[in-house]
Amino acid sequence: MTRHDWRLAPAAIASWAAAWLGTSGWFPDTAVLAGLTAFAAGLAVWLWVLRQHWLAVAVLILMLTAILTGWRCAARHDSPLTDLIQRPMVASIEVRVMTEPQRRPPVVWARAELQRAMGREVTVMARQPVVLLASGDVADELLDVEPGATYIVVARARAAEPTASEAAVLSVQQIDRRVTPPNLLDQAINSLRQGLRDAMTLSPPEHAALVPSLVVGDTTAVDEAMTQQFKVTGLAHLMAVSGSNLVLVLGAWLALLRRVGVRGWAIRVGAVLAVAGFVALCGQEPSVVRAAAMGLVALAATGMGQAARSLRGLFVAVLTLMWIDPWLSRSVGFALSAAACAGIVVLGPRLIASLKQWAPRWIAEALAVPLAAQLATQPIITSMSGQISLVAVLANVAAGPFVGPTTILGLAAALTFWAPPISLCLGWLAGWMAQPIIWVAQAGAAMPTPAIDWPVGVIGTALATVAAAGASVALPILLRRRVVAVTILVAVIALSVTRVGPLGWPGHWQAMVCDVGQGDATLIRAGESAALLVDAAPDAMPVMRCLDDAGVNQVPLLVLTHFHADHTGGAEEVIGKYRPQLVLTREGLLPGWLLQAAQKVGSEVRAARPGEVISIGAATWTTVSVGDPGADMSEDSESSAENDASVIGVATSDQLRLLLAGDAEPAGQSAALRGAARLGLALSVHMLKLPHHGSSRQDERFFAASAATLAVASAGAGNDYGHPAQSALDLAREHGMSIARTDTEGAIAVELATDGLRVLRRGT
């Protein structure tokens, strides 16, 4: 059995902890800093005297890294930009775009380097990393900018989070002009990335989305449905720049060099050039640098280097990266990469040795590597998602053989962009090579139980850690016998094809706010197996699962409050499966897909009418107000007009009353108050679903009018919008409401009992 070198572990852990501390936004004054330094130095000397040399070195690294990182963080967040940020003004700002803009509905974002900023009273000359954000028409313009080029933009600057690596966030209101074009290297890289996209133009949309994502991390064409499928099946790492990409590319490159007779130091030089090219092609982002370093470690761990030194290589990579980019210490991607590499290096050989006792080596390696990676990363994944995937290992085993050929063919398609016929042919082949990966993701996600729910929070994470550690000890022993291994495999498959939910879920519910990520879907029970559905999530899969969990097979009424994608992404499939008699919407122009979907199944689609009451079984829907966004209608842009056009209504199930307001902002909420007064409708309810996922834009009068005792926020875990905002939660509490939220507690089921509201949280 391989013996690993653990001597650098204390230093690596110390550097990681120090970088996390240094980027926390806290930096002590001189006196405190001097005291801490003296204490750390004394401790290091004491450990050295006790011959604990590695621990002494770790203490010194901890102290030095924390101080230097803290200075870097303080300098970044207390820079010449501070004056610009503290004055709420629109400025003309010169920026160099560093990465390709990406669409994250409802905004487009890109990383950039600020060169100078010119406000009314402030001029800033500083090179600082910033993030560009744009919505609406400006978002489309931002998508067209060239990485490497310098632009003048009109934007409003706001401070980034104290723990962020960027100095500021720029809300772009106008892209004025391009100042300088990309340099020759950037032009070449842009041509390669665009060449790969062009190579996929003859391929089906799913192929055109996955291949660029898999090869260079370009997720521009990846939709929410594919993203969810890859997440739940443990294949999400394929859709981002990861160390596995580098392993494949570098492995093929080194094999080619050896084939043509390259040996010795020339091989090492060739490897360095390949890594540099990988980083340049995928974009010079922190995640790419992290993937390059971890890819080299994984390369050693999977047998192409000296396995005995793999763990030491991992520790060296951690040390190096913490000094290059200390903000990686707060990156979940970095933690997952490091944990996966450690699992492959330490646990992988033991699992392979066990499986080899009854299976061929290639089967043993195919099963052991993803299993080791999942066990090592499971506590992190569980703390984020509240789930343990049942299909991840098998999905990775099934998809694994197709990743390498897809990557190599896609890269070849990018490199031959200058010869379109060849590039198109290679891109078409890469797409069909990726098709089995898509089938695996779709099949895994369609399982009744692709993942089991797990408690979130400190206790849940601790339990997941103990379970993963126990499995890491037990599996190398259990998997030595074929009958035991087959039994475990059959048990996992049986669980995944059986609908499994938390004990007692969902109980006797009257309303349920589904956990659909950053979006909305609410059920109001109308009968034993029937419910009204308000909004249909960003994607069909989670809302379908929520309906199944609730035992609902009839949806006679579907209310789409407005047409932002996070409320309607699953509507087409919901309409196709459940065939609602009526679909209510806001006023104004309706999307063509909605009319076509409704026509296929004979559903009526019309605008809601203020004051109308629709009764279905034990449920009722009363429309309070509804608006028309006019020309601002958009499914993708963060349009306040579309938000405020949301259908707002009061729903009941038996005696339980809910107030549902879509994404209405203060203007829309105020319109609802006026409409209710005009129509003589009472807005007092038991439960308020926080408007716009609990954003900071709320009308206090609307909260007061609801008189609710429970406020529920439907938002995605770790979302980029800060939903639910602390100000919205505080406002709800000030009005006597308790809080439930899907991002940390999973789906929320509510029942009005004789002793008051009973709230059951699926994630707890």
Side-chain angles (χ1 to χ4, degrees):
M1 189 64 65
T2 301
R3 295 184 62 184
H4 298 288
D5 186 349
W6 291 90
R7 289 175 296 174
L8 283 176
I13 295 171
S15 68
W16 195 336
W20 190 90
L21 178 63
T23 57
S24 65
W26 171 80
F27 192 71
D29 58 31
T30 304
V32 175
L33 182 60
L36 291 175
T37 302
F39 172 78
L43 179 61
V45 170
W46 181 64
L47 289 170
W48 190 272
V49 170
L50 293 178
R51 297 184 181 276
Q52 301 295 322
H53 297 158
W54 288 106
L55 288 178
V57 170
V59 170
L60 289 173
I61 289 175
L62 176 67
M63 175 189 68
L64 188 59
T65 305
I67 292 172
L68 294 180
T69 300
W71 274 335
R72 287 177 64 181
C73 188
R76 183 161 293 182
H77 292 283
D78 187 16
S79 68
L81 279 176
T82 305
D83 286 342
L84 186 68
I85 293 170
Q86 290 177 345
R87 305 185 187 191
M89 68 176 71
V90 175
S92 181
I93 303 174
E94 182 179 323
V95 294
R96 181 172 182 262
V97 180
M98 304 301 293
T99 63
E100 282 196 329
Q102 298 286 327
R103 186 182 291 280
R104 290 183 181 174
V107 299
V108 170
W109 76 281
R111 297 186 188 277
E113 181 184 67
L114 183 140
Q115 310 285 314
R116 60 185 177 129
M118 297 151 286
R120 291 189 302 272
E121 303 173 2
V122 177
T123 299
V124 175
M125 302 292 290
R127 292 183 179 273
Q128 293 282 6
V130 295
V131 170
L132 306 178
L133 291 181
S135 61
D137 294 337
V138 183
D140 295 330
E141 294 181 38
L142 184 58
L143 282 173
D144 293 333
V145 303
E146 296 179 86
T150 303
Y151 293 85
I152 298 292
V153 301
V154 178
R156 189 184 301 275
R158 61 179 173 85
E161 292 295 323
T163 56
S165 61
E166 298 82 27
V169 177
L170 305 184
S171 298
V172 181
Q173 301 182 6
Q174 178 185 343
I175 299 176
D176 194 356
R177 66 184 185 279
R178 189 175 76 169
V179 179
T180 60
N183 58 36
L184 292 177
L185 177 60
D186 285 327
Q187 288 180 29
I189 294 169
N190 293 344
S191 297
L192 288 171
R193 292 175 69 91
Q194 185 59 47
L196 179 55
R197 286 191 286 264
D198 293 342
M200 305 306 300
T201 53
L202 298 182
S203 301
E206 288 182 327
H207 298 180
L210 180 57
V211 172
S213 174
L214 194 151
V215 176
V216 296
D218 179 2
T219 58
T220 305
V222 176
D223 60 20
E224 184 66 25
M226 181 179 285
T227 299
Q228 290 298 325
Q229 289 165 357
F230 274 64
K231 280 183 178 179
V232 78
T233 53
L235 297 174
H237 62 94
L238 298 179
M239 304 181 71
V241 178
S242 66
S244 59
N245 296 64
L246 180 62
V247 169
L248 292 166
V249 173
L250 191 54
W253 174 245
L254 294 180
L256 177 62
L257 290 180
R258 292 190 180 98
R259 174 72 66 177
V260 298
V262 178
R263 295 291 185 274
W265 277 100
I267 284 282
R268 295 179 175 85
V269 173
V272 170
L273 291 175
V275 172
F278 170 84
V279 172
L281 179 61
C282 295
Q284 300 173 42
E285 295 190 64
S287 61
V288 178
V289 176
R290 176 258 303 168
M294 293 305 171
L296 292 173
V297 175
L299 192 65
T302 52
M304 299 189 70
Q306 300 184 42
R309 301 178 182 175
S310 299
L311 198 61
R312 186 171 65 189
L314 173 60
F315 296 144
V316 170
V318 171
L319 276 165
T320 304
L321 289 172
M322 290 302 97
W323 282 72
I324 292 174
D325 185 359
W327 285 274
L328 282 175
S329 63
R330 296 180 171 273
S331 166
V332 173
F334 175 76
L336 289 171
S337 291
C341 285
I344 293 170
V345 170
V346 177
L347 183 58
R350 297 177 60 207
L351 292 172
I352 291 172
S354 297
L355 292 166
K356 277 175 58 182
Q357 295 191 24
W358 57 268
R361 182 178 181 85
W362 67 271
I363 292 180
E365 290 183 347
L367 286 169
V369 171
L371 179 56
Q374 179 169 354
L375 287 173
T377 58
Q378 194 61 65
I380 303 171
I381 294 172
T382 301
S383 68
M384 294 165 43
S385 65
Q387 291 184 327
I388 294 178
S389 177
L390 296 176
V391 300
V393 172
L394 293 179
N396 276 278
V397 170
F402 305 98
V403 175
T406 302
T407 301
I408 301 303
L409 286 169
L411 186 60
L415 293 171
T416 55
F417 71 92
W418 46 271
I422 298 175
S423 182
L424 285 167
C425 181
L426 291 169
W428 185 84
L429 290 172
W432 282 105
M433 188 58 67
Q435 181 62 57
I437 302 175
I438 297 172
W439 285 334
V440 169
Q442 291 173 338
M447 292 285 188
T449 308
I452 57 175
D453 293 314
W454 194 270
V456 294
V458 175
I459 295 177
T461 302
L463 290 173
T465 303
V466 171
S472 299
V473 173
L475 285 177
I477 300 172
L478 297 174
L479 295 180
R480 293 173 186 170
R481 299 178 62 85
R482 180 184 314 190
V483 64
V484 177
V486 172
T487 301
I488 293 173
L489 179 62
V490 170
V492 170
I493 294 175
L495 279 174
S496 65
V497 299
T498 305
R499 173 66 62 183
V500 178
L503 185 64
W505 178 265
H508 187 274
W509 62 279
Q510 292 173 309
M512 185 182 300
V513 180
C514 302
D515 179 11
V516 295
Q518 185 61 20
D520 267 0
T522 304
L523 306 180
I524 296 93
R525 191 165 193 166
E528 187 64 29
S529 60
L532 315 186
L533 175 61
V534 181
D535 287 327
D539 174 49
M541 183 175 66
V543 71
M544 293 284 200
R545 185 165 293 126
C546 182
L547 287 161
D548 287 344
D549 288 346
V552 172
N553 55 40
Q554 299 175 60
V555 180
L557 172 64
L558 171 63
V559 180
L560 298 177
T561 59
H562 64 299
F563 292 112
H564 280 159
D566 56 336
H567 292 251
T568 60
E572 191 169 357
E573 292 185 50
V574 167
I575 292 171
K577 179 177 179 179
Y578 293 96
R579 299 171 176 262
Q581 300 169 20
L582 176 62
V583 180
L584 289 182
T585 72
R586 55 122 176 94
E587 296 178 350
L589 184 67
L590 302 180
W593 62 262
L594 172 59
L595 298 175
Q596 292 173 7
Q599 185 178 20
K600 286 181 182 179
V601 299
S603 299
E604 179 188 356
V605 181
R606 65 170 174 82
R609 303 176 187 124
E612 71 175 332
V613 179
I614 299 173
S615 298
I616 300 175
T620 64
W621 170 267
T622 303
T623 301
V624 176
S625 67
V626 56
D628 182 348
D632 289 328
M633 186 273 288
S634 171
E635 296 179 44
D636 295 320
S637 69
E638 193 174 15
S639 163
S640 291
E642 179 72 19
N643 288 339
D644 286 328
S646 293
V647 179
I648 298 177
V650 172
T652 68
S653 178
D654 291 327
Q655 300 301 311
L656 178 70
R657 289 172 57 85
L658 301 80
L659 179 55
L660 306 170
D663 275 358
E665 297 180 0
Q669 296 171 31
S670 178
L673 292 172
R674 294 193 301 271
R678 184 173 62 253
L679 295 169
L681 299 175
L683 294 185
S684 56
V685 293
H686 301 98
M687 186 192 103
L688 168 67
K689 196 187 72 60
L690 291 178
H692 201 183
H693 319 290
S695 80
S696 59
R697 295 175 55 79
Q698 306 291 344
D699 187 332
E700 183 178 358
R701 297 172 302 161
F702 190 76
F703 280 54
S706 75
T709 57
L710 173 68
V712 180
S714 177
N719 67 84
D720 296 330
Y721 312 107
H723 296 162
Q726 189 60 47
S727 59
L729 299 178
D730 291 342
L731 183 61
R733 291 189 180 98
E734 289 171 7
H735 285 82
M737 304 178 203
S738 59
I739 304 294
R741 43 194 292 183
T742 63
D743 59 332
T744 59
E745 300 169 329
I748 309 296
V750 182
E751 177 194 10
L752 181 62
T754 55
D755 57 348
L757 284 185
R758 292 181 182 173
V759 182
L760 185 63
R761 297 158 168 87
R762 179 175 176 129
T764 56

